[in-house]
Amino acid sequence: MKVGVLLAGCGVFDGAEIHEATLTLYFLDKEGVEIVCMAPNIPQKEVINHLTGDKMDETRNVLVEAARIARGNIKDINEVSADDIDALIMPGGYGVAKNFSNFLEKGAEADVIPEVKRLLVEMFEKGKPIGAVCISPVIVAAALREAKAKLTIGSDEDVAKAIEAMGQQHLVCPVSEALVDEEHKIVSTPAYMEGKTIKDVAEGIEKLVKEVLRLARK
């Protein structure tokens, strides 16, 4: 079985959340599946100094930065189709919202970048499972507006309202659990939207991985 892991860069404030990405990779590897890391070959929306939180006057590439997490074994998302993988998981991080969409600017009216939307739509139309961690359900909701899927980002009321305004159903979920939409084969977990430490988010991510693989094997 091949599972795609879609990364938004490297670092919680401007890319993929490293703990969430690493835990996703760890639990997938533990299950013995082949992992296909990928990212769009685009500039980051912005670069943040993770020590100070300040914006930096430089440009970085999402694919190049994501390659740090993947140890160089990564594909341009444009080289991957739904026919190449059995499931797709998207770790969170502010970079998901910033680099994959304009959600922070437009909220419920957000658009998803074509590279990411294309693969999400392909996966959905082929009935292949999608796992969304942390803020990533926002991207799923915006890309699949006709799905009317069940999603969770935990209990953040503003983000939950945006997801529902996109036509989806938001359900509150604790960090230790994963919400499964059996009909649409979409699994989500709050991770750092709710959790405080890496041990908190690990439990929900492990459950998400197991549920995504269960759906892929059905």
Side-chain angles (χ1 to χ4, degrees), residues 6 8 11-12 15-18 20-21 90-96 132-136 191:
L6 176 53
V12 57
E17 209 297 316
I18 296 172
E20 293 173 359
M90 200 174 359
Y94 284 106
V96 169
V133 179
C134 191
I135 194 66
S136 293

Side-chain angles (χ1 to χ4, degrees), residues 13-14 43-60 98-99 104-105:
F13 299 125
D14 57 14
Q44 287 183 188
K45 185 73 65 72
E46 59 187 10
V47 179
I48 301 297
N49 181 322
H50 280 60
L51 182 62
T52 65
D54 296 331
K55 188 173 179 179
M56 301 176 69
D57 185 20
E58 63 178 83
T59 300
R60 297 191 185 183
K98 293 177 179 178
N99 299 326
L104 298 182
E105 295 82 16

Side-chain angles (χ1 to χ4, degrees), residues 41 79 85 97 140 162-163 182 200 213:
N41 187 9
E79 298 173 1
I85 54 178
V140 174
I163 286 174
E182 294 278 350
D200 296 333
L213 295 181

Side-chain angles (χ1 to χ4, degrees), residues 126-178:
K126 289 181 178 292
K128 293 187 174 184
I130 297 169
V133 179
C134 191
I135 194 66
S136 293
V138 164
I139 304 300
V140 174
L144 306 175
R145 289 180 182 268
E146 306 305 315
K148 301 197 179 342
K150 295 176 182 177
L151 295 163
T152 190
I153 45 77
S155 60
D156 186 294
E157 291 186 5
D158 291 336
V159 181
K161 287 178 181 177
I163 286 174
E164 297 212 322
M166 293 176 191
Q168 321 298 345
Q169 180 181 359
H170 181 271
L171 299 174
V172 173
C173 179
V175 67
S176 59
E177 297 297 327

Side-chain angles (χ1 to χ4, degrees), residues 21-160:
T22 303
L23 286 166
T24 299
L25 296 171
Y26 171 70
F27 289 124
L28 284 170
D29 189 46
K30 199 174 178 182
E31 292 290 329
V33 303
E34 182 177 344
I35 300 167
V36 181
C37 288
M38 69 190 80
N41 187 9
I42 58 172
Q44 287 183 188
K45 185 73 65 72
E46 59 187 10
V47 179
I48 301 297
N49 181 322
H50 280 60
L51 182 62
T52 65
D54 296 331
K55 188 173 179 179
M56 301 176 69
D57 185 20
E58 63 178 83
T59 300
R60 297 191 185 183
N61 179 281
V62 173
L63 178 60
V64 171
E65 292 301 298
R68 294 175 181 270
I69 296 174
R71 295 172 59 87
N73 186 13
I74 193 166
K75 292 179 177 290
D76 183 331
I77 191 173
N78 288 330
E79 298 173 1
V80 182
S81 76
D83 291 329
D84 300 320
I85 54 178
D86 300 295
L88 178 69
I89 299 178
M90 200 174 359
Y94 284 106
V96 169
K98 293 177 179 178
N99 299 326
F100 290 173
S101 76
N102 52 10
F103 176 73
L104 298 182
E105 295 82 16
K106 297 185 68 175
E109 302 302 316
D111 300 305
V112 178
I113 64 170
E115 299 93 325
V116 171
K117 183 174 181 178
R118 185 265 310 166
L119 185 57
L120 288 171
V121 170
E122 282 182 12
M123 296 296 291
F124 182 74
E125 289 181 345
K126 289 181 178 292
K128 293 187 174 184
I130 297 169
V133 179
C134 191
I135 194 66
S136 293
V138 164
I139 304 300
V140 174
L144 306 175
R145 289 180 182 268
E146 306 305 315
K148 301 197 179 342
K150 295 176 182 177
L151 295 163
T152 190
I153 45 77
S155 60
D156 186 294
E157 291 186 5
D158 291 336
V159 181

